[in-house]
Amino acid sequence: MTIKCERLVLLLLASSLYAPLSASPARADRVDEYVREQMHLRHIPGLALAVVRDGRVVKESGYGLASVELEVPVSSSTVFEIGSISKQITAAAVMMLVEDGKVSLDDPISKYLAESPESWRGVSVRHLLTHTSGLRNYNDLPGFELREHLKRAELVKRIGAYPQSFAPGEAHSYGNINYHLLGYVIEQASGKSYWQFISERIFKPLGMTATRDRDPHDVIKNRAQGYEWQDGQLVGRDHDLTDVFSAGAIVSTVQDLEKWEAGFTKGLLLKPSSIEQIWTPVRLNSGVTYPYGFGWRIETLRGHPVRGHGGQTSGFSSSIARYLEDRMTVIVLCNIGTNGVARQIGQTIAKLHVPALSLSTLEIKRDEDPQTTARLRELLNGLLADRTSSVMLTKEALDSLSTDPERANWQRIAAYGLLRALNVVGREVDGSRRRLSYRAEVGEHLLLLSFVLNREGKIAELSLEEEE
């Protein structure tokens, strides 16, 4: 979809690039050490983080550079693109209009979007909020770039030309088109532009003075530059951006997101009943629930409930996660476009603050199939040595693990050291599929690896959680 632009090749600076700039007197701690290590291994130019516990900011730090070219350091007031964290704000705006009596969740979207094709007649506002509309997403399609300056009618016409993937409510399929259309619903119901509405009803009341539209033509004070790691070098991001509008076009700072999180959870914006709806997993037509609410993922970690969302745009990665029972929120913003990197770093930071979340708490179980464990150990040693085994993997799994980003990820993990231990911590059987979970020790780092084996005993899926 994007046009490849001539990019400026940049070299990472020395390790001093990763020194933290804290709001409180700087001191070396485990979080700083971990962040510096990960920035080095993951080639992250700059990162800002905040940790809030019991309503109090206990850590607020900036590391590295907001602009590598100009050697401008990151601070807690550095402005980053937050990507899909924007969906939380859009969902809150919709619920404000619900409370105002201007929107009903089960209204068909055609009530607000007169241009909607007949095929969308079964799609409701609720379907958009929960990514269960079945509408075709536009991220991999031509004609939806920011340079197109699409008006509402034209965007609806273009996306409406594609058939729906499934009937509304039949499945969950994450897609920016859902929250893009919600921006139009907000405009139609409120009589204001999306940006005016969220500024007046959310940003200004909460004092989020640095949060706004990412419009690349505007001069934005303290805006970070975005980067990618390609072919072994740091490069400037692709500027031929997709127009993500209300699905992901907000820029903000960790300081402003602290205010957002506090205002949202303390009920300064919405009634408790609205927050409860936002944090309720969607129920599909089949009755099965999926762990996504309205702009928030509904998850647990070691039995601890978590509400959060990640974001990724060209050159940026972001994450916000609230650990409900631990009364803690972790916010991470960085200027590298590696998908999921901010979420992964944020999760480990949470573990450093709440040891009960750590992989070290997992109970090791008796290994009932040491032969399979030996095969999986062989596979892992191969991945760490940049080798993949076609014999042990399904074609789909082999293709996934053979991509450049996946190979780079395993090489980063290999830098931790040798695979020292692989212990069973969980097993599940679902028909012909087995899920085996192992806690691995690679050097001094712990990993949680979950393998899904098919009927033939081949690995169909491999998921990974890691920590310090």
Side-chain angles (χ1 to χ4, degrees), residues 82-224:
I82 66 171
S84 288
I85 293 178
S86 304
K87 292 179 172 66
Q88 297 181 356
I89 293 167
T90 298
V94 171
M95 293 306 292
M96 286 177 165
L97 290 168
V98 170
E99 291 184 359
D100 292 345
K102 295 182 178 180
V103 170
S104 174
L105 293 177
D106 295 314
D107 281 342
I109 61 173
S110 57
K111 178 177 177 179
Y112 308 96
L113 309 177
E115 310 90 339
S116 299
E118 179 63 20
S119 59
W120 292 10
R121 64 184 179 275
V123 178
S124 68
V125 174
R126 188 186 302 274
H127 290 135
L128 296 183
L129 284 164
T130 56
H131 298 284
T132 57
S133 67
L135 299 181
R136 181 76 155 85
N137 196 25
Y138 53 53
N139 282 43
D140 59 346
L141 300 175
F144 294 89
E145 294 83 5
L146 191 59
R147 57 183 161 80
E148 294 280 330
H149 301 290
L150 294 181
K151 300 298 184 182
R152 184 178 93 179
E154 182 61 25
L155 182 136
V156 170
K157 178 183 176 181
R158 292 189 186 187
I159 206 67
Y162 293 89
Q164 290 170 243
S165 302
F166 50 82
E170 287 294 316
H172 171 94
S173 181
Y174 185 88
N176 283 336
I177 184 59
N178 297 288
Y179 275 73
H180 196 128
L181 294 177
L182 284 171
Y184 296 147
V185 171
I186 291 167
E187 292 184 330
Q188 185 67 32
S190 69
K192 300 178 179 180
S193 76
Y194 169 77
W195 297 107
Q196 182 184 0
F197 184 85
I198 61 174
S199 177
E200 292 177 356
R201 296 289 297 272
I202 298 176
F203 301 158
K204 289 181 180 177
L206 296 181
M208 298 170 65
T209 56
T211 304
R212 49 153 297 165
D213 177 9
R214 72 173 180 179
D215 192 334
H217 292 99
D218 291 351
V219 175
I220 300 177
K221 184 179 179 180
N222 297 325
R223 190 206 292 245

Side-chain angles (χ1 to χ4, degrees), residues 5 8 91 109 112 137 144 183 199 204 237 254 280 308 365 456:
C5 303
L8 175 64
I109 61 173
Y112 308 96
N137 196 25
F144 294 89
S199 177
K204 289 181 180 177
R237 73 163 178 176
V254 291
T280 298
K365 302 182 182 298
E456 291 75 34

Side-chain angles (χ1 to χ4, degrees), residues 362-380:
L362 293 174
E363 178 186 356
I364 296 176
K365 302 182 182 298
R366 186 171 68 88
D367 191 345
E368 298 178 352
D369 189 355
Q371 186 175 0
T372 295
T373 299
R375 291 175 57 233
L376 297 177
R377 179 186 285 270
E378 180 183 350
L379 172 75
L380 290 175

